[in-house]
Amino acid sequence: MEIDFTLGADPTAAYRSLDGGSASAVLFLHGLIGSPVSWVPIARAIAAEGIDVSVPQLPGHGTSWQDMDATGWSDWLGEARTELGRLQADHERVVVAGLSMGGALALALAASEGAPDEIVVVNPALYIDSPFAPLLPVLRHVVRTIPSIGGDIAHPDRDEYAYERTPVAPLATFHRALRTLRDDLWKVTCPVTAMISGEDNVVSPRTLRALRSDLPHPPKIVALRRSRHVATLDFDANTIAEAVLQVVSTETTVPCQPEAGE
């Protein structure tokens, strides 16, 4: 599959291609302090195969960290859920692919009512891997921003256009939501493909351990040996694109609905 990494006039803008008339669609979700640009090259390649795609710009992203400072997990999940519902209304099968925080959002959607048919997560974040993470509820009242966690890409010519600072208040909402999400992993019954970089300076291996131990069905693991955290823009982008295309093109007999008793 050929991927064109040429940037548009507004690299951080949302991208949609919904006129393919396909029965299937893919919803792509970007990471914290990132923007749609992390998925757009892959999304365009998938669209070229006749699959409808949507890469929304999550609230507070793709503009300035000051805009993000007024948002949080509920806003990001709400936007993702709304876009998923739009795609499900017009398509028989919808796959959600998420990078980093977008992977957490994909898992949260899969653990809820109206879940997608299948999910692909690329270096998903189930923990904030910092010794300061437990202090975030207090730190948010003392420090407004911390250094950026963006830009972890091995390829020298790619840029995810992440913010130069990470606002602490939204990060605190993410930290709190992840505790709940980890407890809810047992509700994810659909197939999960987890694509994991060999060198990741943002997400530690304990996220993969949680997926392996807490999902009710073992995830399919794909190693991204040449990429760092933002693997969708890195040397293994083709591997990710081909995996997404295979998932969206293959019918699954496993329903992705939350387990009874939630």
Side-chain angles (χ1 to χ4, degrees):
M1 183 184 302
E2 190 169 333
I3 300 177
D4 181 7
F5 289 94
T6 304
L7 299 178
D10 183 359
T12 64
Y15 173 82
R16 290 176 178 84
S17 177
L18 301 175
D19 55 0
S22 64
S24 300
V26 184
L27 170 59
F28 295 94
L29 301 172
H30 63 75
L32 189 76
I33 73 170
S35 72
V37 73
S38 62
W39 275 116
V40 166
I42 288 177
R44 289 190 306 222
I46 298 295
E49 299 291 330
I51 305 295
D52 285 349
V53 301
S54 175
V55 194
Q57 184 186 69
L58 298 176
H61 290 77
T63 54
S64 68
W65 69 258
Q66 289 88 346
D67 288 338
M68 182 181 168
D69 201 26
T71 68
W73 172 261
S74 62
D75 301 297
W76 312 327
L77 181 58
E79 178 67 19
R81 185 171 283 132
T82 297
E83 190 65 16
L84 174 61
R86 290 193 188 107
L87 295 178
Q88 288 174 325
D90 297 323
H91 299 84
E92 297 176 8
R93 176 173 167 79
V94 179
V95 171
V96 177
L99 166 68
S100 192
M101 180 194 72
L105 290 171
L107 288 162
L109 292 173
S112 306
E113 287 188 32
D117 294 278
E118 195 158 344
I119 64 173
V120 178
V121 292
V122 180
N123 296 321
L126 284 178
Y127 298 89
I128 294 178
D129 292 300
S130 166
F132 298 105
L135 302 177
L136 283 171
V138 175
L139 194 62
R140 63 183 297 179
H141 300 293
V142 180
V143 179
R144 192 175 181 190
T145 67
I146 58 175
S148 174
I149 58 172
D152 189 29
I153 306 174
H155 197 291
D157 300 322
R158 309 274 166 77
D159 188 350
E160 69 166 329
Y161 288 82
Y163 293 152
E164 294 181 358
R165 304 291 297 178
T166 302
V168 173
L171 189 62
T173 71
F174 185 35
H175 175 62
R176 183 170 60 248
L178 289 181
R179 291 198 298 266
T180 300
L181 178 56
R182 293 193 297 271
D183 290 340
D184 286 347
L185 287 178
W186 65 273
K187 299 177 183 177
V188 179
T189 61
C190 69
V192 177
T193 299
M195 311 193 75
I196 308 298
S197 291
E199 180 182 352
D200 188 330
N201 297 303
V202 178
V203 171
S204 76
R206 63 176 173 165
T207 282
L208 180 56
R209 291 197 294 268
L211 292 177
R212 281 175 161 159
S213 63
D214 296 339
L215 288 173
H217 308 291
K220 177 183 178 181
I221 308 297
V222 178
L224 306 174
R225 303 188 186 282
R226 300 180 299 157
S227 300
R228 295 179 185 167
H229 184 65
V230 190
T232 54
L233 293 175
D234 219 327
F235 290 110
D236 292 299
N238 254 86
T239 299
I240 297 170
E242 289 167 2
V244 171
L245 182 61
Q246 181 179 16
V247 165
V248 76
S249 302
T250 304
E251 284 293 333
T252 177
T253 57
V254 181
C256 190
Q257 293 296 332
E259 295 279 2
E262 63 175 291

